Amino acid sequence: SAVISQKPSRDICQRGTSLTIQCQVDSQVTMMFWYRQQPGQSLTLIATANQGSEATYESGFVIDKFPISRPNLTFSTLTVSNMSPEDSSIYLCSVDRGMEETQYFGPGTRLLVL
Amino acid sequence: GNSVTQMEGPVTLSEEAFLTINCTYTATGYPSLFWYVQYPGEGLQLLLKATKADDKGSNKGFEATYRKETTSFHLEKGSVQVSDSAVYFCALSSHTGRRALTFGSGTRLQVQP
């Protein structure tokens, strides 16, 4: 498995502001992903964080709203920009180290936008 | 595209009852299949997985068998406990490419003493 930490664990933000979420892994991983879980819903993939190049976004998610960085093989950030109450969700990062064909998830960041 | 269909919840059982949560999938090729569990207020934990047809994943008394002919991966447990109360997600990923997960809608399990 992999040990994954996320910061912050939760936050309450005002609409129109931005929040950057950090994801740190205890070992190098090939793939990192960002998911969103809206209240009472399942998980939806936002994007794949690519090391050294631009993230790959899923339909319905754009870079201007959810810019992602991945400067190395153990760290990534997701920014939620110009927030509205509809952005209130749990944001989770996950990693796939390749050989196990399994994704492991961080504890999540609970975001409430007022 | 890929999709996962789970039975609607909530499922309410008495302690020591038998549990089945149905999961069927649609995918190109032969994906890997997973069950994840989310306990109240916590993140997502891998419960079990199967990577090819007829494989059986098992963990903590839970089992699921990869059935290619019925495109199913039903979760079972012979005797549930109150501590099993959680939301269970069925998911799949392709063996190649980005290997991002496609999740089902989740099934909430409530076990009563």
Side-chain angles (χ1 to χ4, degrees):
Chain A
S1 65
V3 178
I4 307 165
S5 60
Q6 283 186 236
K7 289 184 198 179
S9 58
R10 59 180 66 231
D11 208 341
I12 301 173
C13 300
Q14 297 299 317
R15 75 168 65 216
T17 63
S18 298
L19 176 72
T20 295
I21 302 167
Q22 299 179 4
C23 178
Q24 178 76 53
V25 191
D26 67 338
S27 58
Q28 293 185 344
V29 294
T30 51
M31 298 182 184
M32 295 181 78
F33 304 91
W34 287 98
Y35 291 82
R36 180 175 73 181
Q37 185 179 22
Q38 294 178 298
Q41 303 296 313
S42 186
L43 284 81
T44 302
L45 179 66
I46 297 172
T48 303
N50 301 310
Q51 196 267 328
S53 64
E54 197 169 279
T56 304
Y57 290 85
E58 297 300 300
S59 175
F61 298 96
V62 296
I63 188 171
D64 289 345
K65 176 67 176 178
F66 297 102
I68 288 170
S69 78
R70 188 170 175 198
N72 56 52
L73 293 176
T74 63
F75 185 78
S76 178
T77 67
L78 168 74
T79 298
V80 187
S81 303
N82 188 25
M83 288 184 285
S84 67
E86 291 70 36
D87 294 319
S88 298
S89 296
I90 301 173
Y91 293 86
L92 301 103
C93 71
S94 73
V95 303
D96 182 335
R97 292 192 298 178
M99 73 287 274
E100 296 179 46
E101 294 190 59
T102 300
Q103 281 188 37
Y104 297 96
F105 284 80
T109 296
R110 295 175 181 271
L111 171 62
L112 177 62
V113 183
L114 302 177
Chain B
N2 296 339
S3 68
V4 176
T5 303
Q6 280 181 246
M7 63 186 288
E8 292 284 331
V11 174
T12 303
L13 297 173
S14 298
E15 208 164 20
E16 299 184 2
F18 183 86
L19 169 71
T20 299
I21 300 178
N22 290 338
C23 171
T24 58
Y25 67 90
T26 302
T28 304
Y30 303 110
S32 293
L33 301 173
F34 306 85
W35 278 100
Y36 284 86
V37 57
Q38 189 173 39
Y39 296 102
E42 298 186 14
L44 222 60
Q45 299 178 26
L46 177 68
L47 181 60
L48 54 83
K49 71 175 185 180
T51 58
K52 61 183 187 298
D54 300 325
D55 267 2
K56 178 186 283 188
S58 61
N59 186 25
K60 299 181 181 180
F62 291 89
E63 293 183 340
T65 300
Y66 189 140
R67 301 286 188 200
K68 185 178 68 173
E69 62 276 12
T70 55
T71 61
S72 65
F73 193 55
H74 304 321
L75 183 68
E76 297 181 335
K77 186 175 186 182
S79 176
V80 294
Q81 306 300 313
V82 172
S83 57
D84 294 326
S85 298
V87 180
Y88 293 81
F89 292 95
C90 185
L92 68 80
S93 73
S94 300
H95 287 290
T96 58
R98 293 185 297 115
R99 296 216 293 257
L101 287 166
T102 300
F103 283 89
S105 57
T107 303
R108 180 175 299 279
L109 171 65
Q110 184 75 38
V111 180
Q112 298 176 336

